[in-house]
Amino acid sequence: MNLLKIAATTAFGLTATASFAETEITFWHAMGGQLGETVNQVAKDFNASQDEYKITPVFKGSYEETLTAGIAAFRAGEQPNIIQVFDAGAATVIGAAGAVIPVEDLLEQNKLDFDINDYIAGVRYFYADADGKMIGMPFNSSTPILYYNQDALDAAGVTAPKTWEEFAETTGPALKEAGYIPLSQSHLPWIFTENFFSRHNLQFASNDNGYTGLDTQIMVNHPAIRAHFQALTDWKEAGLFEWYGTGWSDNQDPFESGQVAMWLGSSGSFGGIQDRVDFNFSATMLPYWEAVTTEPTQTFIGGAALFAMSGHDEAENAAAAAFFDFLASADTQVMWHKETGYVPITTAAYELAAEQGHYEEFPAAEVGIQQLSLPGGDFTRGYRMGFYVQIRDVMNREYGRILTGEATVDEAFEIIETEANDLLSRFARTQG
Amino acid sequence: MKRAAFGQIGFPILLLIPQLVIIAIFFYWPAGYAIQSSFYLQDPFGFGSTYVGMDNYTRLTTSRTYLSSFWFTVIFTTLVTFFSLAIALLLAVKADKVIRGAKTYRTLLMWVYAIAPPVAGLMGVMLFDQSRGNITQLLASFGYDYRLGVNYWDTAAAMITVSIWKQIPVNFIFFLSGLQAIPRSVREAALIDNASGSSRFWDITFPLLAPTGFFLLIINITYALFDTFGIVDTIVKGEPGNNPMTLVYRVFVDGFRGGDLGGSSAQSVVLMVLVLILTVVQFRFLERRIHYT
């Protein structure tokens, strides 16, 4: 934490010496640790690439803290030029028409090229409005994938499962036999709920997953997902799956220490795992239930997007636009992709990374993009629901109750449905 | 007693103004704002809002999770207050008797006070960690599978233990100085009258310590209700999930994290009223039984 603050202040100190002719803009983000260093590098590269604009990245804490700080600053008229907002906060910032300038408009006003079709399919519409206009530019885009310990799979004589049926019948029992805990995961709402619906092309919420209206009802109480959570509890009982609480790293650590053989995490976790583990690992796509679909669809992106906040003068908006343009360029995207493991957002960047032989060296780095580029369906572009941070909290709570035996699957899903719909109707009223 | 020697009303008011301004700006203004926004549902960015009357309040009375946080807070506050006072009192009584190396002993006991709540929480997280924690390993040797962050009461136990540990030094300092303020003559008289150590403590020392104890009781309840925020936050790692939450932490989770300003304002107002009631009860009923010398 302290190191980051030092990094942020150093970055700030550097800009203080900038010449007066430059337009200075600020960029609030939630990328800590190694990721924060990379963000600073991107900003430095941008500042070095031209001499009209100067961007200052500022680390504001977690995703939630960054959004909260942005909201408070906006209300005080002190908002940054660019802010990073995570997937679950998208509805809050996009719902508040007037808080942000759509990135598509911003680029066009400043005569910079923009074509939404340059972006990878799974990335394109998550942060767009109902008409498909891109509001926020996807920045650190990730998607849930299955990491596996190759040594463990070899010891058990199995390969990574494609479907959950395969996991339950073959992979899981064999890994358990070999002395491993077969599976853990790090984010139940994201991996086993939102992307569960996307992977099976099931409708997640009314109003086209919430994109076309405010009076949205969540459709989470679906037999397929109830069956999935029933399977999870059975697996946990049988020693095929373990849950280490709601914290992300509590579930990732046992995989890195070699106790757990397979772990569902973010495609953006690649860089960190690469640095830390001493066993052979790779990754594959998120498994699906053959009983639900035989044609699994793409997942949608998690992570966060960058939004240009309104209330700044034209020169500063032009600077923000130039930064977005720089960010979407293939070179920047490839650098970001290689350093962090987040997926490149444009097809051009993907091709460039492939050309440079990145995926021959690290096949696991390509899994996320492949999964995002799978055929889509009616319900795979994303979701847009207000107070979604609280809805995720409700899910986390109830899933925890299921997995500790305090609630049955049916009870828990009924509670999630009721409380989520109550929150959605409250959010609709905040917009009135 | 002589009346104050101010000739006119203007000067004393002038002297009071800085204090009044601070109270108005940092207490009355935000409190008034919280009361106002508790009747609205508003867009976090401040664009739209809808008047909803008492909705934000009635919702709390029917919310299963709010009520469970409420009861958890009651249990949490009771345990933290009781144990941090009791342990500190025991340590103070024992420290009072130590003659050789008294200073070192006292300094060691006060040390913990210098630790910031989030740091204390972090130490708790490390001690109670699922795989590496020392306490977890100790409990495992007794055959108990301790799971911080997974099991509701296991997480609660860590929060309570760390909160008690963090508060003991403050109580210790006050109890010790309270004990040392008891006149030697009273103790010696008691020693002549009654040889039993425990009845001397309960009949003489404890009542004489009552003003200190009463002050500490209020301080400790406030601590358990509000100042444990940092500890709760580090132990749940910002992701409450199925873990227990205190009412103050819930205000933060719903309001700041979740963006529901109206709902969390209503929760703040409820807390404000609770604290008000508590204070009145304490001063009216408890203070009567205490004799200040």
Side-chain angles (χ1 to χ4, degrees), chain A residues 387-400:
Chain A
F387 284 160
Y388 197 73
V389 177
Q390 291 192 72
I391 294 177
R392 271 188 176 174
D393 283 346
V394 171
M395 288 177 184
N396 270 324
R397 188 187 72 224
E398 293 305 317
Y399 294 158

Side-chain angles (χ1 to χ4, degrees), chain B residues 6 10 18 21 28 40 46 51 80 137 149 151 176 179 192 197 199-200 211-212 231 255 259-260 266 272:
Chain B
F6 289 119
V21 165
Y28 289 113
Y40 288 86
Y51 178 78
V80 170
Q137 282 164 5
N151 181 300
L176 190 62
L179 281 169
I192 295 163
S199 69
R200 265 200 333 270
T212 313
I231 294 171
D260 180 7
M272 229 159 20

Side-chain angles (χ1 to χ4, degrees), chain A residues 149-204:
Chain A
N149 180 332
Q150 187 62 57
D151 302 346
L153 293 187
D154 289 347
V158 285
T159 53
K162 286 199 163 41
T163 64
W164 288 121
E165 281 89 350
E166 187 188 343
F167 171 78
E169 283 151 28
T170 319
T171 330
L175 284 166
K176 192 191 167 202
E177 195 70 13
Y180 290 94
I181 294 168
L183 182 74
S184 71
Q185 64 70 49
S186 270
H187 200 313
L188 292 166
W190 184 50
I191 300 171
F192 279 167
T193 314
E194 294 144 28
N195 279 292
F196 181 90
F197 279 84
S198 178
R199 191 86 171 103
H200 299 98
N201 194 24
L202 301 170
Q203 188 166 4
F204 187 32

Side-chain angles (χ1 to χ4, degrees), chain A residues 153-418:
Chain A
L153 293 187
D154 289 347
V158 285
T159 53
K162 286 199 163 41
T163 64
W164 288 121
E165 281 89 350
E166 187 188 343
F167 171 78
E169 283 151 28
T170 319
T171 330
L175 284 166
K176 192 191 167 202
E177 195 70 13
Y180 290 94
I181 294 168
L183 182 74
S184 71
Q185 64 70 49
S186 270
H187 200 313
L188 292 166
W190 184 50
I191 300 171
F192 279 167
T193 314
E194 294 144 28
N195 279 292
F196 181 90
F197 279 84
S198 178
R199 191 86 171 103
H200 299 98
N201 194 24
L202 301 170
Q203 188 166 4
F204 187 32
S206 65
N207 287 337
D208 193 12
N209 278 3
Y211 278 97
T212 55
L214 270 175
D215 55 342
T216 303
Q217 297 270 307
I218 202 165
M219 293 161 81
V220 68
N221 197 356
H222 189 281
I225 193 173
R226 287 202 306 268
H228 183 66
F229 273 86
Q230 192 53 56
L232 282 181
T233 28
D234 297 344
W235 294 342
K236 189 166 178 285
E237 196 96 327
L240 300 183
F241 168 73
E242 190 51 274
W243 180 70
Y244 299 88
T246 309
W248 180 285
S249 58
D250 291 337
N251 291 284
Q252 185 176 352
D253 291 346
F255 171 71
E256 292 184 355
S257 70
Q259 280 173 281
V260 168
M262 300 192 295
W263 170 69
L264 289 155
S266 159
S267 55
S269 311
F270 175 77
I273 298 179
Q274 176 93 343
D275 283 349
R276 286 188 296 265
V277 304
D278 49 11
F279 52 79
N280 295 311
F281 79 96
S282 191
T284 188
M285 291 185 200
L286 187 65
Y288 59 93
W289 285 99
E290 224 169 359
V292 179
T293 179
T294 49
E295 286 169 17
T297 41
Q298 63 180 207
T299 49
F300 38 71
I301 46 169
L306 301 187
F307 290 86
M309 298 198 87
S310 57
H312 296 285
D313 63 33
E314 271 175 36
E316 289 187 17
N317 288 342
F323 182 67
F324 281 130
D325 191 50
F326 176 79
L327 206 61
S329 73
D331 287 331
T332 313
Q333 281 298 316
V334 169
M335 174 265 192
W336 176 247
H337 172 49
K338 282 185 178 173
E339 288 292 321
T340 63
Y342 283 115
V343 301
I345 55 173
T346 60
T347 320
Y350 176 32
E351 283 164 2
L352 182 61
E355 237 169 69
Q356 294 176 356
H358 185 54
Y359 306 123
E360 278 151 36
E361 203 178 339
F362 307 109
E366 197 178 6
V367 176
I369 312 153
Q370 288 169 334
Q371 188 170 291
L372 285 169
S373 312
L374 286 175
D378 292 338
F379 306 111
T380 58
R381 69 179 276 211
Y383 59 89
R384 176 75 34 83
M385 282 181 264
F387 284 160
Y388 197 73
V389 177
Q390 291 192 72
I391 294 177
R392 271 188 176 174
D393 283 346
V394 171
M395 288 177 184
N396 270 324
R397 188 187 72 224
E398 293 305 317
Y399 294 158
R401 277 160 37 88
I402 293 176
L403 293 168
T404 51
E406 283 173 51
T408 66
V409 172
D410 289 354
E411 278 165 13
F413 273 90
E414 220 143 90
I415 293 172
I416 295 171
E417 188 181 28
T418 319

Side-chain angles (χ1 to χ4, degrees), chain B residues 202-242:
Chain B
W202 291 114
D203 291 342
I204 308 293
T205 316
F206 192 73
L208 285 169
L209 264 183
T212 313
F214 175 66
F215 164 74
L216 285 179
L217 183 69
I218 297 173
I219 295 286
N220 278 270
I221 291 175
T222 325
Y223 161 78
L225 280 174
F226 298 100
D227 294 351
T228 48
F229 181 90
I231 294 171
V232 175
D233 188 48
T234 26
I235 287 182
V236 302
K237 297 171 185 166
E239 287 287 352
N242 59 325

Side-chain angles (χ1 to χ4, degrees), chain A residues 100-117:
Chain A
V100 295
I101 310 167
V103 63
E104 200 170 325
D105 292 349
L106 184 75
L107 289 171
E108 276 164 10
Q109 278 159 19
N110 290 285
K111 317 228 163 7
L112 292 161
D113 290 335
F114 179 85
D115 182 357
I116 204 161
N117 293 316

